Amino acid sequence: MDVDQLRHTEAHASARLEGWSSMLKVLPIPAAIVTPDGVVVAANRWLDVGAGSALLAPECDGRPRNRFGIDGSRWRVRPLDHDATLLLATGEREDAGDHLLRHFYSSGDALFVVYDHESRILQSNPAWQRLVGLTSEEVFGMDTWDLAHEDDRHKRAEIETELITTGRAQADFRLRGADGNLRDVRLHLQYDNSVGRCFGIGRDVTEEGRLTAELEHRAFHDELTGLHNRASLMHYLEDLLGRGGRPSLLFCDMDRFKIINDSLGHAMGDLLLTELGTRLLSVDLGSDARIGRFGGDEFVVVLGSGGEQRARLVAERVEDALREPFDLDGRRIHITMSIGISTCRPGRNRTAEELLGDADTAAYEAKARGREQCVVFDDQLQAVAQRRLDVEEGLRTAISNMEFEPFFQPIVTVHDGSIVAAEALVRWRTPERVISPGEFLDVAEDAGLMPEIGKIMIDATIAAAAHFAALGSPITMSINASDAELHVPGFGEALISQVAQAGLDASSFLIEITESAVLATDSALPVLRRLRDAGFRIGLDDFGTGYSSLAHLRELPIDVVKVDRSFVADLPTDPVTHALTASLVSLCAALGLDVVMEGIETKAQAEAVLEIGGTVAQGYLFHRPMPISDLEVALAAERSTHP
Ligand code: C2E
Ligand code: MG
Ligand code: MG
């Protein structure tokens, strides 16, 4: 060892000793540093011994033991390094001392450093050395801030000032770890004026930080789409309101998502939501806007300002963004949204929750008006919303009380009015009155109650068919099946076996579906094919409303087309409708499809229907929907006139 080296080692050792003894001063327990043969080098204020005193008990043979007595008290010994030993007094504070020591010297993650007044490291524990990938000798004398990432070095001045003025500071900085990666380090620094030393106890908080960031992100973002979540948006909304702002809200609810999700599977549903999220993110909403997903298929946009006009504009942009279909693993899915808008109107203070409720109500109304549109909340809507809630509640009770029954509307041949079939139409019988589906069906659909109501209807209709068969006047029955019912697993099989059990022929039932049920996805097709294979006939209801694709007439597994009454209404008076309906009827004939003309109310309409080649119809002119007892009378009268 040359002279320089020796000097370095000595300097090193004495600086280290200095470091330790400075540390003693801030330890909250009696402690001293002694040489291996028991001579006190330094002690803290909790221990009234001077440097140079012999601290070891007489029975000590000169080598520090793990425990030994002094003045009747117990001591605990910890080796510091080769040439000094730290002794801590036991007693009440033994645990605290143990705890601290464990932290300082053996803890895998607690960092410990002692600096001089220029932030040079005098002492460090193994955890620190491992973190920076240097030995204690290498660390010795280094400027801590040289280890810090250069972008964090600007913090130095502020932290040092704080240390000097208050004696404490927290230093958060990144440093290049032994593995070459940046680590986040948090040091709690304490400055001891009397010795001009600073002690730092800290941790590598990289993982904690990552975890915290992730938790924070999770707390405020939707996991699936990465958009904001409910909490985040509500927070933003409350903040805007709190600052006297006048935000507005768009509640965007995807149309028919449940069907897509149920039929394509949840993985596809998730994929669609993710893609939708991405697409919505690309919409120019304005810099004060925030978009988030509230769960399910509900997306919400908060606009910082701008009122109804701007909200409508944003709604249009959202609608525009959906024009292109989504490509999900090669399947093209077209989606639409029902959008509700609520704004802060003058003179009406709304909380965040109330604004949200208003927008939700408006979106609900948009759905009720036929989906794929935008509705702005107003007072009238408030009343509508309340009524809907009342209806939904009433429906639930009605289901358990079996207050639904079918009315039957005969389907007739136009030229002589003879009954060829009957359509079962649901009625809700309350003690006060009989309610038609127009008043409750959309609420039932939205509340997911259709399968239950449908089940009651199917049971009753099959029973009615069995009743008429037993009376010797069997009659074909039409049953309306909604989207939701067709998607109930096992719907087809249950229907098939139920009809068989009633001893009836499947061919005496017509299952009426609407185009939407088939078109939302192709998923209703298998059940329709299955029913058809089993002998049921399938009818496409309300043709001419909604999609009305002629291609569907060719492609769908159907036997009957029911032409919507909007065609019939104008038939006698409007030549265009007349011509159109005539071609429709002949097209159906060419395709081998039976046609039923719906909603004949006048003689003129009936004649016009005959003119264009329509033979079978349904309408008030012939019969209104009636209870089963009336149908029985009508069928009996029929038998006597057309035996
Ligand atoms: P829909 O299947 O097209 O049934 C024909 C509707 O037109 C019935 O209304 C019927 O009363 C009405 N209607 C018949 N002839 C005339 C007419 O000459 N003029 C006018 N203005 N209307 C006429 P309703 O019973 O109110 O049913 C409405 C709709 O509710 C039905 O339309 C059907 O889509 C649905 N619906 C009824 N019952 C059920 C059911 O049990 N299940 C399902 N899923 N839907 C049902
Ligand atoms: Mg129908
Ligand atoms: Mg119809």
Side-chain angles (χ1 to χ4, degrees):
M1 199 183 273
D2 65 21
V3 179
D4 270 357
Q5 261 182 318
L6 191 65
R7 244 187 231 140
H8 177 79
T9 315
E10 276 173 4
H12 198 157
S14 74
R16 238 200 278 179
L17 198 59
E18 232 182 294
W20 290 127
S21 38
S22 305
M23 188 202 69
L24 272 187
K25 296 199 162 71
V26 294
L27 279 184
I29 45 170
I33 295 172
V34 298
T35 60
D37 34 303
V39 180
V40 173
V41 176
N44 68 8
R45 63 195 159 105
W46 306 107
L47 202 68
D48 195 16
V49 293
S53 350
L55 201 57
L56 296 188
E59 72 267 31
C60 176
D61 57 7
R63 282 180 4 165
R65 294 183 189 160
N66 210 16
R67 274 173 182 278
F68 52 103
I70 298 172
D71 306 337
S73 62
R74 310 282 296 173
W75 287 75
R76 179 157 282 204
V77 181
R78 295 269 166 169
L80 269 183
D81 55 23
H82 313 299
D83 40 39
T85 299
L86 182 67
L87 296 187
L88 293 178
T90 58
E92 273 184 1
R93 290 174 181 263
E94 182 182 25
D95 288 346
D98 262 0
H99 179 68
L100 270 172
L101 275 187
R102 252 203 315 278
H103 258 70
F104 285 171
Y105 303 112
S106 57
S107 158
D109 59 5
L111 310 170
F112 170 60
V113 262
V114 181
Y115 309 102
D116 65 9
H117 58 285
E118 285 174 315
S119 292
R120 276 193 297 262
I121 298 174
L122 300 177
Q123 196 68 49
S124 61
N125 74 345
W128 178 270
Q129 292 147 22
R130 268 198 305 278
L131 176 76
V132 295
L134 300 171
T135 65
S136 74
E137 278 74 21
E138 285 166 329
V139 170
F140 176 77
M142 271 185 97
D143 187 323
T144 329
W145 290 99
D146 284 346
L147 286 167
H149 187 269
E150 54 188 31
D151 291 349
D152 291 340
R153 289 185 196 157
H154 67 276
K155 296 180 179 173
R156 176 180 198 146
E158 194 189 331
I159 289 170
E160 286 182 349
T161 312
E162 197 184 337
L163 250 181
I164 288 165
T165 48
T166 69
R168 289 164 187 278
Q170 179 178 306
D172 287 329
F173 55 86
R174 288 162 300 165
L175 55 76
R176 188 68 62 190
D179 56 1
N181 293 325
L182 280 181
R183 313 292 303 180
D184 296 319
V185 171
R186 167 165 296 172
L187 284 181
H188 294 277
L189 300 169
Q190 187 168 349
Y191 192 76
D192 188 331
N193 227 352
S194 61
V195 289
R197 290 280 183 281
C198 176
F199 305 94
I201 297 172
R203 331 187 130 257
D204 175 354
V205 292
T206 315
E207 297 313 322
E208 274 166 46
R210 192 175 298 158
L211 196 65
T212 311
E214 206 167 285
L215 288 176
E216 261 169 28
H217 187 88
R218 257 168 200 260
F220 291 108
H221 288 82
D222 167 46
E223 211 181 324
L224 186 65
T225 59
L227 299 179
H228 289 274
N229 65 4
R230 186 189 182 104
S232 171
L233 280 195
M234 292 313 277
H235 193 272
Y236 181 54
L237 191 57
E238 275 157 14
D239 190 48
L240 288 166
L241 289 168
R243 285 189 279 120
R246 310 190 67 77
S248 45
L249 221 78
L250 282 83
F251 197 103
C252 313
D253 196 314
M254 202 197 298
D255 296 328
R256 304 195 175 88
F257 177 68
K258 193 178 175 322
I259 294 175
I260 297 176
N261 205 34
D262 288 351
S263 54
L264 295 185
H266 289 214
M268 278 292 195
D270 281 358
L271 184 61
L272 178 61
L273 289 172
T274 315
E275 301 261 309
L276 176 59
T278 312
R279 203 174 284 186
L280 289 176
L281 262 188
S282 70
V283 177
D284 177 17
L285 304 168
S287 58
D288 63 348
R290 228 174 241 190
I291 181 160
R293 176 171 166 251
F294 266 36
D297 55 349
E298 298 167 350
F299 292 81
V300 171
V301 179
V302 177
L303 301 175
S305 60
E308 182 180 329
Q309 210 181 350
R310 175 171 168 214
R312 279 190 187 275
L313 188 78
V314 168
E316 275 168 31
R317 290 195 182 143
V318 168
E319 284 161 358
D320 283 345
L322 302 179
R323 298 221 192 284
E324 272 292 297
F326 286 82
D327 187 341
L328 299 186
D329 270 3
R331 292 180 91 125
R332 284 163 74 78
I333 306 274
H334 182 86
I335 63 164
T336 56
M337 281 202 168
S338 299
I339 302 178
I341 290 176
S342 65
T343 57
C344 289
R345 286 176 289 156
R348 231 164 157 269
N349 281 334
R350 302 300 269 169
T351 65
E353 280 299 338
E354 284 167 341
L355 271 180
L356 177 69
D358 294 351
D360 188 8
T361 303
Y364 194 93
E365 182 61 20
K367 274 208 194 307
R369 291 186 192 168
R371 306 185 171 100
E372 206 183 337
Q373 52 192 296
C374 173
V375 169
V376 180
F377 182 85
D378 56 20
D379 291 332
Q380 228 179 326
L381 265 193
Q382 178 65 56
V384 171
Q386 190 51 50
R387 263 205 308 279
R388 275 175 179 280
L389 281 180
D390 297 343
V391 169
E392 183 177 332
E393 207 179 289
L395 283 174
R396 291 187 192 275
T397 331
I399 287 172
S400 47
N401 294 348
M402 303 280 274
E403 289 171 12
F404 298 101
E405 65 178 64
F407 268 31
F408 297 93
Q409 184 178 34
I411 295 169
V412 301
T413 48
V414 186
H415 74 277
D416 64 354
S418 61
I419 298 175
V420 294
E423 175 173 9
L425 296 160
V426 66
R427 294 295 180 267
W428 175 7
R429 192 186 284 280
T430 67
E432 297 82 36
R433 63 189 182 113
V434 175
I435 307 175
S436 285
E439 286 186 53
F440 62 85
L441 223 55
D442 54 344
V443 178
E445 245 162 49
D446 286 327
L449 300 173
M450 278 318 287
E452 287 169 84
I453 296 176
K455 180 81 179 76
I456 298 175
M457 284 295 290
I458 287 172
D459 292 351
T461 307
I462 291 176
H467 172 73
F468 291 118
L471 286 182
S473 41
I475 179 166
T476 296
M477 290 286 185
S478 271
I479 297 175
N480 291 284
S482 62
D483 288 18
E485 287 168 82
L486 290 176
H487 286 90
V488 170
F491 173 80
E493 297 310 320
L495 188 55
I496 291 166
S497 66
Q498 206 177 339
V499 165
Q501 264 168 26
L504 296 167
D505 197 1
S507 65
S508 52
F509 288 90
L510 179 79
I511 307 301
E512 294 189 12
I513 55 160
T514 53
E515 278 184 301
S516 63
V518 185
L519 292 188
T521 65
D522 288 346
S523 60
L525 288 181
V527 64
L528 295 180
R529 293 212 177 91
R530 174 75 185 101
L531 286 173
R532 209 157 171 249
D533 289 347
F536 287 87
R537 302 205 313 146
I538 310 292
L540 192 56
D541 206 352
D542 304 339
F543 189 82
T545 59
Y547 295 90
S548 308
S549 159
L550 292 180
H552 289 141
L553 296 183
R554 209 169 278 134
E555 290 158 7
L556 293 176
I558 53 171
D559 308 275
V560 178
V561 175
K562 296 188 77 173
V563 178
D564 191 70
R565 71 163 190 270
S566 53
F567 285 75
V568 173
D570 296 342
L571 206 53
T573 50
D574 178 24
V576 177
T577 306
H578 195 277
L580 183 71
T581 316
S583 345
L584 185 59
V585 170
S586 49
L587 175 69
C588 288
L591 291 171
L593 299 169
D594 290 342
V595 173
V596 178
M597 302 299 294
E598 292 189 284
I600 315 258
E601 293 179 349
T602 64
K603 279 214 157 63
Q605 289 167 346
E607 275 154 21
V609 164
L610 284 173
E611 257 170 50
I612 60 166
T615 54
V616 179
Q618 179 178 358
Y620 294 169
L621 175 67
F622 306 103
H623 299 278
R624 290 192 169 248
M626 56 185 82
I628 184 167
S629 50
D630 291 2
L631 180 62
E632 196 172 325
V633 173
L635 284 176
E638 174 104 344
R639 260 195 309 184
S640 57
T641 45
H642 308 275

